[in-house]
Amino acid sequence: MAKITELVTQMALPVVEEAGCELWDVEYVREAGTWFLRVYIDKDGGVDILDCENVSRKLSDLLDEADPIEGSYTLEVSSAGAERPLKRPGDYEKFMGSPVAVKLYKAKNGRKEFAGVLAGYENGDVTITVGDAAMTFARDEIALCRLRIEF
């Protein structure tokens, strides 16, 4: 049986594309005893509340009809966010040269978080440049890599 996130991704993709957006990610998580189905969308120029509302209404109707999730949950449709996590190889390709923050499971050189510019991605390993130095982190070291906004 397919995972809930995979089923919802298949259902959400045409709805999101019809709204002129891109499906960024789908999460199904339990927080404080409540299940949340989160659908993250993106588009050139940014997502606004009307985009989220449009996708949410149509997707909610489809989910009610297909009923792929047992029990109750809260559906949330939102922008992927300016500081979105990078998860898939395509995410890294799209944002090559962008400022990122890399968080590690265990400290390296006394630190668990590094900020720099995304300079490379190969087989899950991430390379960033910090000043003139390049740093590469192995896939199994990385807890999270996300875009970073510079002020």
Side-chain angles (χ1 to χ4, degrees):
M1 182 176 170
K3 290 178 20 177
I4 289 172
T5 54
E6 292 168 356
L7 290 170
V8 172
T9 296
Q10 292 172 3
M11 294 174 70
L13 192 57
V15 172
V16 171
E17 289 175 347
E18 181 183 306
C21 298
E22 170 190 355
L23 182 62
W24 184 261
D25 199 11
V26 175
E27 294 179 340
Y28 185 60
V29 296
R30 187 177 180 121
E31 294 176 0
T34 301
W35 283 98
F36 292 90
L37 177 61
R38 294 191 174 119
V39 176
Y40 297 99
I41 60 177
D42 193 24
K43 76 174 183 183
D44 289 338
V47 170
D48 61 30
I49 190 72
L50 296 176
D51 295 318
C52 295
E53 180 183 8
N54 184 24
V55 170
S56 179
R57 287 179 191 262
K58 290 180 180 174
L59 183 56
S60 179
D61 290 345
L62 282 174
L63 290 167
D64 286 347
E65 185 178 314
D67 200 21
I69 302 172
E70 289 185 25
S72 63
Y73 60 92
T74 300
L75 173 64
E76 296 178 349
V77 176
S78 67
S79 163
E83 292 190 332
R84 68 191 68 185
L86 304 178
K87 296 182 178 183
R88 301 170 298 271
D91 300 346
Y92 288 91
E93 291 170 20
K94 182 176 182 177
F95 291 103
M96 196 62 61
S98 298
V100 295
V102 177
K103 291 185 181 184
L104 306 178
Y105 290 112
K106 294 182 182 176
K108 185 175 191 173
N109 300 330
R111 297 171 46 195
K112 288 180 80 173
E113 187 168 343
F114 295 84
V117 175
L118 182 59
Y121 179 83
E122 188 173 335
N123 297 323
D125 295 351
V126 174
T127 301
I128 63 172
T129 54
V130 181
D132 293 332
M135 301 181 75
T136 300
F137 303 97
R139 173 192 317 201
D140 61 353
E141 293 180 289
I142 302 169
L144 174 71
C145 182
R146 64 170 176 78
L147 293 179
R148 182 175 53 87
I149 301 298
E150 293 181 322
F151 293 99

